[in-house]
């Protein structure tokens, strides 16, 4: 697939243009310089051809901070991965900045085909002299407004001119791969885990909590198999404001879009935020794996106590297989991939309605729920729906209040064991049989 990277200084409108081009909001757009830090991947179409776009963090050469240097690395990776670069410049600036010159120099050094675009041209007195930017060496600029979609059609025409894909490549089917979200509270090592998996610094890693602000997708081939990993912002518990709230929405979006989740917690402790995130996973009916990271930091003598705490505080997802890893030292990454294969295979199983029905009738006959006064549970029918990597089981009964949470847990455990559904979310939907009105 043809890849296009959007690069430029902070706050030039890269994320807004990215969203316009893929025709759906996927990157964070927020009126604050430096909102996008990692490069963000999204798909769109150019005259019927599928194209992938990479939205990158704003490059700043003014401050030599560790974070700015890491953003620069991310941009360089995105440029190297791309077939075409859109160099986006703020049209409100009426001069060529030194940072724009440095970005241009970097692009020339990479020898990438580049379209130079002047943005925010809907603003009064902006973009008056586009010829100023000819010195950057990319030819005539295209004037646009990403937010008001002015001249976007002309940009798409320019992109189409640049697309050089062989006809046989256009006919290739999309790569089928499990989509796996990496979720957890801030600073548990989610980005370090993705870097360990991909063997290069795909996500920014920093000691500052909350470095990853958006969903970062990456296609990884491991032992001949393809996987799509989504690194997400850390989810915070409590009342969130402004950008933090939007970041948490992005993490939730990744959870919903994924086939399975890697729920990353720290081997050092289990917190209330972990419990909060567990409830989000349950609410969204996610299949997954519990990944206990930072194994290199745990005291061996405290492992049993820690595992007991995990079992107690995260009891609702004990159907997730568990693995202890050190993302930093790449310990047990091979085991993690084996578990991913197992859970994904289990999630894709098509359950037989007849077999599930027979099993549940048998379980209830051998161990029925407690009576409700003189009333006993009557099970009339069982239906199964294999839906989005979860298993929905409908129970038609005479009184749904008789099926308490503990009893449903008993049925769930037996069904999971019977049909080998380790790591897969099983959702029981209880309905009462409609009664016919007496005449």
């Amino acid at each position: 697939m043809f890849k296009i990277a959007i690069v430029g200084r902070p706050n030039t409108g890269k994320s807004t243009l990215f969203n316009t081009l893929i025709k759906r909001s996927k990157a964070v757009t927020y009126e604050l310089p430096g909102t996008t830090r990692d490069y963000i991947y999204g798909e769109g179409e150019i005259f019927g051809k599928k194209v992938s776009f990479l939205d990158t963090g704003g490059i700043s050469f003014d401050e030599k901070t560790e974070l700015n240097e890491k953003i620069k690395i991310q941009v360089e990776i995105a440029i190297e991965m791309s077939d075409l670069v859109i160099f986006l410049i703020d049209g409100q600036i009426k001069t060529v900045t030194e940072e724009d010159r440095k970005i241009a120099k970097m692009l020339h050094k990479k020898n990438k085909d580049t379209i130079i675009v002047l943005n925010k041209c809907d603003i009064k007195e902006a973009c008056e002299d586009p010829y100023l930017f000819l010195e950057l060496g990319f030819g005539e600029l295209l004037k646009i407004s990403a937010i008001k979609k002015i001249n976007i059609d002309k940009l798409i025409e320019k992109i189409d001119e640049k697309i050089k894909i062989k006809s046989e490549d256009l006919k290739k089917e999309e790569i089928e791969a499990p989509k796996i979200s990496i979720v957890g509270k801030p600073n548990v090592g989610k980005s370090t885990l993705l870097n360990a998996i991909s063997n290069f610094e795909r996500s920014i890693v920093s000691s500052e909590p909350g470095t990853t602000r958006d969903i970062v997708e990456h296609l990884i081939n491991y032992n001949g198999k393809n996987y799509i990993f989504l690194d997400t912002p850390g989810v915070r518990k409590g009342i969130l404001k402004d950008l933090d709230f939007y970041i948490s929405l992005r993490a939730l979006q990744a959870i919903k879009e994924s086939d399975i989740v890697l729920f990353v917690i720290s081997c050092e402790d289990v917190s209330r935020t972990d419990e909060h995130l567990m409830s989000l996973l349950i609410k969204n009916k996610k299949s997954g794996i519990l990944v206990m990271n930072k194994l290199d930091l745990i005291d061996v003598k405290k492992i049993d106590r820690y595992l007991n705490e995990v079992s107690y505080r995260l009891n609702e997802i004990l159907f997730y297989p568990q693995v202890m890893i050190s993302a930093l030292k790449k310990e047990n990454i091979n085991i993690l991939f084996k578990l991913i294969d197992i859970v994904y295979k289990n999630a894709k199983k098509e359950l037989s309605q007849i077999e599930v029905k027979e099993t549940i009738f048998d379980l209830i006959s051998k161990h029925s729920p407690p009576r409700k006064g003189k009333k006993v549970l009557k099970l009339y029918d069982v239906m199964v729906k294999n839906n989005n990597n979860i298993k929905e089981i409908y129970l038609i009964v005479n009184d749904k209040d008789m099926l308490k949470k503990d009893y449903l847990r008993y049925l769930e455990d037996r069904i999971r064991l019977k049909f080998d559904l380790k790591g897969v979310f099983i959702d029981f939907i209880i309905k009462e049989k409609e009664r016919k009105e007496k005449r």
Side-chain angles (χ1 to χ4, degrees), residues 414-428:
R414 296 302 186 276
I415 291 293
R416 182 171 286 109
L417 186 64
K418 168 78 174 178
F419 296 97
D420 192 15
L421 296 174
K422 192 170 186 64
V424 179
F425 192 95
I426 300 173
D427 188 24
F428 282 103

Side-chain angles (χ1 to χ4, degrees), residues 82-171:
S82 66
D83 302 294
L84 174 69
V85 174
I86 296 175
F87 180 12
L88 199 64
I89 291 175
D90 186 349
Q92 295 179 93
I93 309 298
K94 298 180 180 180
T95 183
V96 181
T97 68
E98 192 58 33
E99 288 193 334
D100 284 330
R101 290 190 179 95
K102 288 178 180 179
I103 294 170
K105 185 177 180 181
M106 181 175 69
L107 291 171
H108 284 301
K109 190 176 179 181
K110 299 287 184 184
N111 197 28
K112 285 289 179 179
D113 204 0
T114 301
I115 297 174
I116 188 165
V117 178
L118 209 57
N119 191 26
K120 305 183 184 179
C121 292
D122 57 301
I123 298 169
K124 191 176 180 181
E125 297 181 353
C127 309
E128 286 183 335
D129 190 3
Y131 298 102
L132 279 173
F133 300 91
L134 289 175
E135 71 166 82
L136 297 175
F138 298 107
E140 188 176 348
L141 277 81
L142 176 65
K143 299 193 292 182
I144 71 163
S145 168
I147 197 164
K148 293 191 177 179
K149 299 181 175 59
I150 296 171
N151 284 339
I152 295 299
D153 54 338
K154 291 183 179 180
L155 175 58
I156 288 173
E157 287 174 5
K158 272 186 168 286
I159 293 170
D160 189 51
E161 291 172 7
K162 299 283 186 178
I163 295 176
K164 299 172 182 178
I165 306 173
K166 295 179 181 179
S167 58
E168 57 267 25
D169 290 336
L170 294 173
K171 296 175 183 177

Side-chain angles (χ1 to χ4, degrees), residues 188-199 264-268 290-298 303 306 322-337:
V188 291
K190 300 183 299 297
S191 296
T192 306
L193 174 57
L194 183 59
N195 293 338
I197 288 168
S198 59
N199 287 321
V264 183
I265 63 174
S266 171
C267 278
E268 297 173 292
L290 182 60
V291 182
M292 294 169 274
N293 190 27
K294 304 187 181 182
L295 177 60
D296 50 304
L297 300 180
I298 195 170
I303 288 181
Y306 169 76
Q322 302 173 12
V323 59
M324 300 183 81
I325 70 164
S326 169
L328 189 63
K329 296 190 175 181
K330 300 183 181 180
E331 293 180 13
N332 294 338
I333 299 298
N334 59 326
I335 297 174
L336 178 58
F337 271 101

Side-chain angles (χ1 to χ4, degrees), residues 79 82 91 111 122 124 151 178 203 228 288 329 331 345 353 374 376 438:
I79 291 169
S82 66
N111 197 28
D122 57 301
K124 191 176 180 181
N151 284 339
S203 293
I228 297 172
K329 296 190 175 181
E331 293 180 13
K345 181 182 176 182
Q353 182 161 301
K374 292 182 179 180
V376 296
K438 293 183 180 180

